[in-house]
């Protein structure tokens, strides 16, 4: 009953996702909070596939808020830009977060990190450290969307920045009980290994390609750059 009374997402006069019931968002407001984008991340109600207009509006809102903020805010924005599949913008926020706080490069009081790599708010908030770790994971694997059968989809390298043309990651966890290892070269997928921990159906997507696997508990599945079984 309460859920039915929650106001729906609304696109405002500037093409933004409205933060308020009234269409009064200020395009020059660079506030560090972006709570109205919760449906994009960590929620899953705003996606390009299911709600394209709201998805576009969420991007407009994030652009309006800018790329500065306290450390925790920039960590949050890395996640949001990853969900928007904009790896280069997410990478820019990651670089902003890695600036030494108090240096001439920081534009926001307390923004950045301390010499010991702790996030600066000030004085210190672990949200920035945990948040940017989450954001990096979201740049490499996303699993918040479900397919028509209700199973989670593993999307590989959805927001890979140009700066990371080659790399490898191990042990990322995908919804549905999957552990994912990925290697990539030349800005594209080279190989992926998926360990099934629950024996569920696995749906994998990469650059418009989709593969469905029936898995067994404890089995590992190896795929090449075209999602072909090895």
């Amino acid at each position: 009953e309460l859920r039915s009374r929650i106001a729906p997402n609304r696109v405002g006069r500037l093409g933004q996702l409205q933060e308020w019931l009234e269409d009064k968002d200020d395009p020059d407001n660079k506030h560090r909070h972006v709570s109205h984008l919760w449906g994009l991340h960590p929620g899953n109600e705003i996606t390009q596939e299911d709600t394209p207009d709201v998805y576009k509006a969420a991007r407009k809102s994030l652009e309006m808020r800018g790329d500065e903020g306290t450390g925790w805010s920039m960590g949050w924005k890395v996640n949001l830009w990853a969900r928007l599949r904009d790896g280069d913008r997410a990478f820019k926020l990651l670089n902003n977060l890695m600036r030494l706080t108090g240096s001439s490069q920081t534009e926001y009081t307390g923004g950045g990190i301390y010499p010991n790599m702790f996030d600066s708010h000030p004085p210190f908030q672990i949200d920035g450290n945990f948040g940017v770790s989450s954001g990096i994971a979201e740049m490499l694997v996303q699993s918040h969307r479900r397919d028509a059968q209700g199973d989670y989809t593993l999307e590989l390298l959805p927001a890979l920045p140009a700066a990371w043309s080659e790399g490898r990651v191990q042990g990322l966890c995908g919804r549905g009980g999957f552990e994912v290892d990925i290697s990539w070269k030349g800005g594209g997928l080279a190989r992926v290994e998926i360990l099934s921990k629950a024996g569920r159906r696995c749906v994998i997507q990469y650059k418009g390609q989709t593969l469905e696997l029936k898995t067994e508990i404890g089995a590992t599945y190896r795929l090449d750059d075209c999602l072909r079984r090895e």
Side-chain angles (χ1 to χ4, degrees), residues 116-180:
N116 64 357
M117 301 290 285
F118 279 6
D119 165 60
S120 171
H121 178 66
F124 162 63
Q125 288 191 331
I126 197 64
D127 308 46
N129 293 92
F130 288 163
V132 76
S133 299
S134 168
I136 291 171
E138 289 284 340
M139 293 165 75
L140 302 175
V141 173
Q142 293 180 20
S143 61
H144 59 287
R145 293 186 298 110
R146 295 177 185 262
D147 72 353
Q149 298 184 41
D151 292 315
Y152 288 109
T153 297
L154 295 178
E155 186 175 359
L156 308 179
L157 305 180
L160 186 69
W164 295 350
S165 61
E166 183 173 341
R168 181 181 180 186
V169 65
Q170 293 177 280
L172 291 181
C173 293
R175 293 171 179 82
F178 301 103
E179 186 174 304
V180 186

Side-chain angles (χ1 to χ4, degrees), residues 94-225:
L94 176 60
N95 280 337
N96 286 358
L97 182 68
M98 295 295 290
R99 296 175 305 193
L100 188 64
T101 187
S103 75
S104 59
Q105 293 181 320
T106 55
E107 298 180 17
Y108 197 100
T109 302
I113 59 171
Y114 297 116
N116 64 357
M117 301 290 285
F118 279 6
D119 165 60
S120 171
H121 178 66
F124 162 63
Q125 288 191 331
I126 197 64
D127 308 46
N129 293 92
F130 288 163
V132 76
S133 299
S134 168
I136 291 171
E138 289 284 340
M139 293 165 75
L140 302 175
V141 173
Q142 293 180 20
S143 61
H144 59 287
R145 293 186 298 110
R146 295 177 185 262
D147 72 353
Q149 298 184 41
D151 292 315
Y152 288 109
T153 297
L154 295 178
E155 186 175 359
L156 308 179
L157 305 180
L160 186 69
W164 295 350
S165 61
E166 183 173 341
R168 181 181 180 186
V169 65
Q170 293 177 280
L172 291 181
C173 293
R175 293 171 179 82
F178 301 103
E179 186 174 304
V180 186
D181 298 348
I182 308 174
S183 59
W184 63 92
K185 292 181 179 179
L189 179 67
R191 192 169 187 264
V192 59
E193 291 188 7
I194 300 173
L195 169 63
S196 177
K197 295 185 174 181
R200 296 174 180 169
R201 172 173 167 267
C202 184
V203 183
I204 307 144
Q205 287 188 348
Y206 174 68
K207 289 189 175 180
Q209 304 175 73
T210 302
L211 176 68
E212 299 179 16
L213 292 175
K214 293 182 178 180
T215 72
E216 298 180 358
I217 296 176
T220 298
Y221 301 85
R222 298 174 177 86
L223 311 173
D224 66 10
D225 60 328

